[in-house]
Amino acid sequence: AQSVSQHNHHVILSEAASLELGCNYSYGGTVNLFWYVQYPGQHLQLLLKYFSGDPLVKGIKGFEAEFIKSKFSFNLRKPSVQWSDTAEYFCAVRGTGRRALTFGSGTRLQVQP
Amino acid sequence: ETGVTQTPRHLVMGMTNKKSLKCEQHLGHNAMYWYKQSAKKPLELMFVYSLEERVENNSVPSRFSPECPNSSHLFLHLHTLQPEDSALYLCASSQLLRDREAQYFGPGTRLLVL
């Protein structure tokens, strides 16, 4: 079975602060990894994805994530957050050969102006 | 703007009602999914349809009945629901058999069961 842990449930930052959201997964084989974002009142949007190759993945809006296989981690980072980054962030994993995603419980990010 | 639309966006129903949720994807994908998002819980996969055939049913109670008449449309028929079924129901689609496949989500239907 595959599972995802997001240890930070609620993060509060000031604008221009750096961000790192943790994501750890459990799965015995090769995985695809995703970060989704859900802005207030909006639908889930794909932020970035990792399938293979360079473990440092760049996504939209200045976000990036690094896949560290030895740590089963896929942490999300942004050097300088903006108020508009206030949202809920979900990490998801899919084992190779599987169709469905398994999501973490989400991290609510609040950026204060 | 999303390529996956869902109707209705909000639904209130009694436990004896029958209603249906609709999802339509405009992305040319060949797989569709139903997820349930409850407060303070991770998104839970309910059903997966691949090429209009149900390929996964994640131990969902029979009061939820999916239907996929073609690759662009997905329904979730609801009957005799319970209050604990109140949640946000999300539809997603993806293109299987293509490398680097990601799922794209609709806005969801927020369901309240009284």
Side-chain angles (χ1 to χ4, degrees):
Chain A
Q2 54 193 32
S3 65
V4 180
S5 295
Q6 291 181 245
H7 305 294
N8 313 107
H9 297 293
H10 191 189
V11 173
I12 302 174
L13 295 174
S14 299
E15 276 193 311
S18 64
L19 169 73
E20 181 161 2
L21 301 182
C23 173
N24 287 91
Y25 69 91
S26 173
Y27 186 71
T30 305
V31 294
N32 303 143
L33 295 156
F34 306 84
W35 275 97
Y36 283 85
V37 61
Q38 190 169 30
Y39 297 103
Q42 296 190 28
H43 62 280
L44 271 171
Q45 300 174 43
L46 182 66
L47 202 53
L48 49 77
K49 57 191 177 184
Y50 171 81
F51 288 87
S52 64
D54 188 345
L56 185 61
V57 179
K58 294 195 183 299
I60 61 172
K61 304 185 180 185
F63 286 91
E64 65 179 30
E66 185 175 14
F67 171 48
I68 303 179
K69 189 175 181 179
S70 60
K71 295 185 178 181
F72 299 90
S73 70
F74 190 57
N75 292 355
L76 182 71
R77 300 194 295 246
K78 185 170 183 178
S80 176
V81 294
Q82 301 172 314
W83 177 79
S84 58
D85 293 323
T86 295
E88 190 152 16
Y89 294 80
F90 295 91
C91 181
V93 64
R94 182 181 62 219
T96 304
R98 298 201 60 183
R99 294 178 183 85
L101 297 173
T102 297
F103 282 84
S105 54
T107 296
R108 186 173 298 279
L109 172 65
Q110 184 178 345
V111 180
Q112 296 177 330
Chain B
E1 187 176 332
T2 178
V4 182
T5 57
Q6 290 186 243
T7 55
R9 295 293 305 276
H10 300 273
L11 178 62
V12 179
M13 58 187 290
M15 289 190 284
T16 58
N17 291 157
K18 289 185 180 181
K19 296 287 184 183
S20 294
L21 309 185
K22 179 182 176 182
C23 174
E24 183 172 0
Q25 60 94 2
H26 312 275
L27 300 169
H29 289 164
N30 57 14
M32 297 186 77
Y33 310 77
W34 279 117
Y35 286 88
K36 177 182 179 182
Q37 187 177 26
S38 304
K40 302 190 186 304
K41 291 176 68 176
L43 272 79
E44 302 169 64
L45 175 71
M46 300 177 72
F47 301 102
V48 180
Y49 274 83
S50 171
L51 300 171
E52 300 152 43
E53 185 178 334
R54 190 191 312 181
V55 296
E56 196 160 333
N57 175 345
N58 208 27
S59 302
V60 179
S62 59
R63 57 185 183 269
F64 294 91
S65 175
E67 179 190 1
C68 187
N70 56 61
S71 59
S72 299
H73 294 86
L74 184 66
F75 294 89
L76 188 63
H77 304 300
L78 317 171
H79 64 99
T80 59
L81 294 191
Q82 305 298 310
E84 59 265 28
D85 296 322
S86 299
L88 182 67
Y89 289 85
L90 294 170
C91 174
S93 71
S94 70
Q95 181 65 17
L96 293 180
L97 305 180
R98 177 189 293 174
D99 194 22
R100 301 176 186 270
E101 159 212 345
Q103 292 181 20
Y104 294 87
F105 285 81
T109 295
R110 186 161 297 281
L111 173 67
L112 177 62
V113 181
L114 301 176

